[in-house]
Structures are given as structure tokens and as C-alpha cells.
Amino acid sequence: MLIVGIIAIAVLLFGIGFYNSLINKKNQVTNAFSAIDVMLKKRFDLIPNLVEVVKQYTQYEGDTLTKITELRGKALGATASEADRLAADQQIGTAVKGLMVSVEQYPDLKANQNFAQLQRTWTESEEQIAAARRNYNASVTTYNNGVMMFPGNMFAGMLGYQTMPVLESTPEERENVSAKALFNS
Amino acid sequence: MVGTFTPSQELARVIDELELVRKTIAARKIQGWGAIVLGATGLIIGSLLNSAVFAIIGVCMALVGIILLLLLGNTSGSYQSRYKQEIVSAALSHIDPSLTISPQSGIREAEFEASQLFATDPDRYSTEDLVRGKAGQTTFYFAEVHAEYKTETPTKNGTRTEWHDIFKGIIFAADFNKNFNSTTIVRPKDLTSSIGAWFKKNIYSFDDSNVVELESDYFRKNFITYSNDQVEARYILTPALMQRIEELNERSAYCISLSFIQSTVYIAFPLVHNYFEPPIFKTLLRENLLADDLNILSFMHGIVQELDLNTRIWTKG
């Protein structure tokens, strides 16, 4: 009788543990997405300074700068969804990459200390966003495993939890040395 | 791993001088230990034959042996010190002129503990042969470390103390090329840590979210990664760095441990061999005298390149 009681308590404790673990995994996914958002905002905040510095030294990059500024406005707009922000970030990344390549034509800009520092910060933010995206995908994978595997799948059914899609890797993440190449261009 | 090292004329003279000292030390050691062995034999024979004469001769011989060995202390110390300061230093300069060795210094116990490379704090700690250098913009240092913990078991006659290794080998530390505020630790995977990680991941009450699940299959198979910041851990451990750590680990005889803490990367390389020690019973006048030392020095020096720590494209500069 005592043994049966101990087993029942152990099963109950494990059940509570698994149940809470599933909720914890779901919360971790939400936190992981917030981390991407924080990193994106940090990167978007660099844009005004970058645009100002580049404007002072270049004559022919007006269109690119306007495009970058517009994309930033769109990403930070009150109606922008998470998906909008991610899409805008990808477009900003491509535009800034093009801008960095054309910097070669402006030796004064290349030699500017502020610009060099901004370039470094930009590179850093790119890797931080990549890290936040990897963290999000790891959290989603852990959550999905919890939802699909026994005994988590029983609680997932009760809570109405479903699997979530992972974020597809960006071209930058696929070639993980791109930040270095960008800086050296 | 490294090209042959040809000593300069000046160094060859030092080696010749030290070879004479080595021969003296070797001869004294043989005499000292010989006397002790003979003395012990005399004592055994004396007790077997019940002969006080044999026993007294045995004790006297053993005493002479002990005195001979004790008298060697200073000569041995100075031989060891000159070997490191003059011969090993020259080998260091051969690899990189920025490298210097301080035989009496090492990695302080407080720093060893703060590095969090190992979960257990040592009860007995020794360190020596601190080598410092700079490769490009990256400063680094490494030293031999032997850290042990003790266990005490109550016995009928009191307590039995046993010493166990936490770590024996070389600890390498270098300035990391990115800014970070968190602590990230990569330790070899063993059964206990694997079970701990499973509980942390699957049972909420055990979950302190410190285990970092990285994408690399090699990492998941060989290491357990802990961090107090999941995003920053991935910012440090990029796929490229994980690949480089994998290559470094494959080149090491035993599984390495790493920690990223206070802007520094620490790497622990477990080793059996004690490096930078002068030979006593082997001649100094051989071509491969420094082969092992040169290999390990070159390996340590190459880590900065191998982990790409000289790429300074982030705000740390």
C-alpha cells in the first residue's frame, strides 16, 4: 500500500513537472521572440546616425539612404507586425550591405572614425540578431519536441498547444562570415 | 608541427655548461638513491640475521643517501631555473619574440576558480611556468596547473584522506574579440551532466534555463554548454567558432573545457606530460631536446589564429 502511494505521488510530481515544463517552454518562445525584437530596435536606432554620416560624404547615394530611412519608418510604425519588422530588417540589411560596398568610392568616409565605429556596431548588431534568431529557433524546437513527445503531448492537447514554425535562416546566417566580408568590403 | 630549432652559439655554450651540471645531478641522484637502497637492504639483512652491525651500517648508508639527495636541492633548483630561463626562453623567441616565460608564476587559484572551467573548487592547487605573449592584437597567457580535491573517509584509526585530480594540464587564457556581459561555459559531456541537463530541460522544477542547446551535432555529442544569457551564448558561440572549437578539440589528446567570462576566453587542456622540465637522466645534447616543448608552445600560440581571435570587426576593436 505504501509503495503504491509512493509511486502515485512520484507520478503526480513528474506529471506536474512536465505540465509546468511545457508552459515554461511556451513562455521561453515568447521571450525569445522579444529578444529578436529588442535586437531589431537596437539596429534600427543606428540608422539615423548612419544616414547622417554617409550623407555628409557622399553625393550619389541619396536613393539608397531614402530607401533605408523609409524601411526603418515602416518597421517602427505603430501598425507594423512582427513579420513586417523581420521583413523590413532583411531589406535594410541588403540595402546597407550595398551601401557599404559603395563606400569604397569615398575614401574620406571610409577614414571617418564615426563611420568606422558605426560599421563595427552594425556588424555587431547583425551577429546579435543572428544569435537572437538562433535562440528563438532553439526555443521553438524545444517547445515543439515538448508538444509532440510523450507525455508532453497529453498536456499539449489539454492546453490547445500546437507546434510552431521555426524562422528560416537568412542568407547572412547561411554564410556566417558575411559580417566580416561586409566589413572588409 | 614546428620546424627544428637550432640553438645559437651562445645558447649552445649554455647547453654545454648545463649538461655538466646535469651529469653531476644525475650522478648524485644515483649515488644517493643507491645508498638508500643499500642501507635498506642492510637493515633487512640485519633484522633477518639479528645482526646489529648490519642494521647500523644500513641506517648510516641510508642517512648518507638522504643527505646526498638533500644537498642536491639548490643545484637542482638552479639547474631547473637556468634551463627554463635560458633554453626554454630561447625556444619561445624562436616561435614568437613576444613570448616570455616566468617559471615561478602561474594562474592564480582565485582566477582558476573564477574561470568556472570546473564545477569543483580545489583543496590543493599548484601552478608554474606562466607563458605570456601577444599575437596580433590579442594578448594571451597560459600556465601549467594541477588542481585537486580531497575526500575524507572515517576509518577505525581516524580519517583516511585521498586526493583526486580536478585538473592537470595547461590553462590557456586570451582576450576575447567581442564584448559580452554574461558567463558561458562549455564542459565535456559525461553521464552525470547529461542526466542533469535532461532534468533541467524536461522537468520544470529542475529548470534554471542555463543549459544552451546549440545546433552543432558535434557540440551536442561532446559538450554541455551553460550560460546565464541564451542569446549572448549564441552571439559568442557562432557556427564558425563552434567549428573552430571542434577542430581544436580534435587536435587535443583529451576533451577540452572552455569558459567565456569577463571578456576572456579560458581553455583547459588536460595533459599527462609535465612540460618545460629539464631532463636529468637524458642528455641535453640531443637534437630533439625541445621537441615536445616546442610542439605544445606552437599549439598554444596557434590557438589565437585557430579561434580567429584577431578578427576585430566588433565594437571591442
Side-chain angles (χ1 to χ4, degrees), chain B:
Chain B
M1 203 184 264
V2 279
T4 49
F5 167 60
T6 316
S8 64
Q9 271 194 330
E10 174 63 18
L11 189 63
R13 193 187 56 75
V14 174
I15 294 176
D16 285 344
E17 244 177 67
L18 286 178
E19 174 67 5
L20 293 177
V21 181
R22 181 198 70 78
K23 280 180 178 167
T24 313
I25 294 171
R28 286 270 170 81
K29 282 209 168 184
I30 290 169
Q31 288 161 2
W33 282 110
I36 291 171
V37 171
L38 282 175
T41 315
L43 260 174
I44 293 165
I45 292 171
S47 63
L48 286 175
L49 300 177
N50 234 349
S51 159
V53 179
F54 266 110
I56 290 166
I57 293 172
V59 169
C60 290
M61 285 196 79
L63 279 174
V64 168
I66 290 167
I67 291 166
L68 277 174
L69 291 178
L70 285 175
L71 286 175
L72 259 183
N74 282 343
T75 321
S76 283
S78 125
Y79 168 65
Q80 197 178 43
S81 169
R82 279 195 70 191
Y83 177 84
K84 289 181 182 181
Q85 295 281 11
E86 298 180 48
I87 300 176
V88 176
S89 279
L92 290 170
S93 303
H94 169 71
I95 291 169
D96 181 341
S98 78
L99 294 174
T100 57
I101 185 167
S102 312
Q104 309 302 326
S105 306
I107 287 172
R108 286 177 300 113
E109 188 174 346
E111 187 177 0
F112 175 84
E113 286 174 14
S115 75
Q116 296 186 38
L117 284 164
F118 302 94
T120 315
D121 285 343
D123 294 313
R124 189 162 67 184
Y125 183 85
S126 63
T127 178
E128 60 173 2
D129 299 333
L130 177 70
V131 176
R132 286 184 179 280
K134 193 171 184 186
Q137 292 179 65
T138 310
T139 52
F140 65 90
Y141 53 92
F142 58 89
E144 286 186 314
V145 165
H146 188 194
E148 298 162 280
Y149 70 94
K150 68 177 175 188
T151 50
E152 287 178 338
T153 322
T155 59
K156 278 180 192 169
N157 305 322
T159 317
R160 192 178 70 230
T161 305
E162 283 179 341
W163 290 94
H164 314 271
D165 278 353
I166 297 170
F167 173 74
K168 187 175 189 296
I170 289 181
I171 302 277
F172 173 93
D175 176 38
F176 196 63
N177 52 359
K178 289 178 182 173
N179 281 318
F180 57 87
N181 302 313
S182 59
T183 299
T184 298
I185 299 155
V186 180
R187 289 192 186 132
K189 197 170 194 171
D190 56 33
L191 187 65
T192 320
S193 56
S194 300
I195 292 169
W198 185 89
F199 271 96
K200 280 176 180 177
K201 193 173 137 190
N202 291 296
I203 311 287
Y204 180 71
S205 42
F206 287 87
D207 191 351
D208 58 5
S209 308
N210 274 350
V211 176
V212 183
E213 288 280 332
L214 292 161
E215 305 89 332
S216 156
D217 286 339
Y218 183 89
F219 249 65
R220 279 207 302 268
K221 198 174 156 197
N222 293 283
F223 300 112
I224 296 241
T225 308
Y226 305 91
S227 180
N228 52 8
D229 187 327
Q230 293 277 333
V231 176
E232 210 164 62
R234 288 173 175 88
Y235 173 59
I236 294 167
L237 292 165
T238 60
L241 186 64
M242 283 193 283
Q243 177 69 36
R244 292 190 187 106
I245 292 171
E246 176 183 335
E247 283 158 17
L248 191 65
N249 193 46
E250 284 302 307
R251 288 180 56 204
S252 309
Y254 303 96
C255 196
I256 60 174
S257 308
L258 299 98
S259 71
F260 300 84
I261 190 164
Q262 288 172 355
S263 205
T264 303
V265 50
Y266 289 95
I267 311 174
F269 295 91
L271 297 166
V272 179
H273 187 70
N274 195 6
Y275 288 90
F276 319 125
E277 297 305 320
I280 300 289
F281 296 108
K282 274 186 182 174
T283 177
L284 294 175
L285 306 173
R286 60 197 151 97
E287 262 186 36
N288 63 349
L289 169 68
L290 293 163
D292 286 349
D293 292 347
L294 280 171
N295 276 341
I296 197 78
L297 287 170
S298 167
F299 181 83
M300 293 294 153
H301 183 255
I303 291 171
V304 172
Q305 291 295 326
E306 198 145 338
L307 295 187
D308 202 21
L309 298 178
N310 264 327
T311 297
R312 301 275 168 164
I313 56 172
W314 299 276
T315 54
K316 185 165 176 183

